[in-house]
Amino acid sequence: MLGHHYTRTFLETAVASVNAGCNLELSYGMRNNVFMHIPQALAMGNITLQMLRDRVRPLFYTRMRLGEFDPPAMNPYSSLDLSVVQSPEHRNLSLEAAVKSFVLLKNVRGTLPLRAQDLSGQRLAVVGPFADNPRVLFGDYAPVPEPQYIYTPRRGLEMLGANVSFTAGCSEPRCQQYSRAELVRVVGAADVVLICLGTGIDVETEAKDRSDLSLPGHQLELLQDAVQ
């Protein structure tokens, strides 16, 4: 609220938030927090002790339900390891969720989906900074998964048994250094080309927005060269 000029001070923000029913502040890494001004607001009579208790109660109730105050031995999740998290059932469910969440904006002449039986004898080129870089495939607030469980576009296509060639063109999403000659060589020898472009957390995250929707660096040039 302070950043949007609804309030002028952290004290005003604390009073307005508590009175509005807010009971949680996301202020990780901030030395000066809004909630640290709640005692002052209470002393000044801007909020009441009962109101404060009403706000805090559901927080601790939720933490109790989650077992945060129980001994670790009582927590059924403490015994889970990758054999459970990465079980075939969980991985199949993740695959189903991924397949059902894709957004296909255009499909000229039914080019997609690519089927393994149709790729026999075909030469595929997978290019772009997102083609085989596991680190850049996850967005803001995503967990850090085990590399062995990450399937990049290149790795996934190679599982189809197709003849896959690869070049990134540029090693990272900002694409400041672009190897055009290598891209032209790989694309020129292919029957099917898949171009993997985007932004990723290197380019944009929360509080790091871009001023336009243009592809970063030389990515547009990379796309145009591959199409040509």
Side-chain angles (χ1 to χ4, degrees):
M1 288 192 293
L2 190 65
H4 292 283
H5 308 291
Y6 183 82
T7 55
R8 293 171 296 178
T9 65
F10 274 3
L11 176 61
E12 289 184 16
T13 305
V15 173
S17 299
V18 173
N19 281 320
C22 181
N23 64 356
L24 187 65
E25 179 190 2
L26 300 179
S27 56
Y28 177 78
M30 292 177 57
R31 289 187 177 183
N32 191 13
N33 301 300
V34 170
F35 68 82
M36 294 300 292
H37 292 76
I38 290 177
Q40 182 182 355
L42 185 63
M44 295 174 60
N46 297 118
I47 59 176
T48 65
L49 184 59
Q50 184 59 45
M51 183 186 298
L52 191 57
R53 286 172 175 164
D54 291 340
R55 299 293 180 266
V56 171
R57 186 178 294 110
L59 294 178
F60 279 88
Y61 176 60
T62 301
R63 295 181 66 186
M64 289 176 183
R65 292 177 64 197
L66 290 172
E68 287 191 13
F69 302 107
D70 296 337
M74 291 180 59
N75 189 339
Y77 302 105
S78 61
S79 61
L80 299 182
D81 55 20
L82 284 179
S83 67
V84 178
V85 177
Q86 290 290 349
S87 66
E89 293 81 5
H90 288 176
R91 296 179 67 181
N92 288 337
L93 182 60
S94 296
L95 177 60
E96 180 184 354
V99 169
K100 290 183 176 180
S101 62
F102 279 120
V103 177
L104 182 61
L105 300 181
K106 196 172 185 179
N107 193 14
V108 178
R109 293 193 297 273
T111 302
L112 298 175
L114 296 176
R115 297 178 176 86
Q117 62 267 27
D118 300 330
L119 298 177
S120 178
Q122 296 284 305
R123 296 167 299 178
L124 270 69
V126 188
V127 302
F130 287 79
D132 198 37
N133 188 343
R135 186 187 64 82
V136 301
L137 295 182
F138 297 87
D140 210 3
Y141 290 95
V144 182
E146 291 285 327
Q148 61 180 323
Y149 297 113
I150 302 175
Y151 283 80
T152 63
R154 177 189 183 182
R155 183 182 177 190
L157 287 166
E158 286 177 341
M159 292 183 63
L160 297 178
N163 179 12
V164 178
S165 58
F166 158 75
T167 182
C170 42
S171 60
E172 38 75 37
R174 294 188 183 279
C175 203
Q176 299 299 318
Q177 303 293 327
Y178 168 45
S179 302
R180 181 181 184 275
E182 176 65 12
L183 178 113
V184 171
R185 183 188 67 80
V186 171
V187 169
D191 301 304
V192 179
V193 180
L194 292 98
I195 309 170
C196 306
L197 308 174
T199 54
I201 59 174
D202 290 348
V203 176
E204 58 180 341
T205 60
E206 181 183 359
K208 190 171 71 175
D209 299 325
R210 296 184 296 148
S211 58
D212 58 61
L213 296 178
S214 301
L215 287 168
H218 293 281
Q219 284 196 35
L220 179 58
E221 183 181 353
L222 184 157
L223 172 63
Q224 292 170 334
D225 288 340
V227 172
Q228 183 178 353

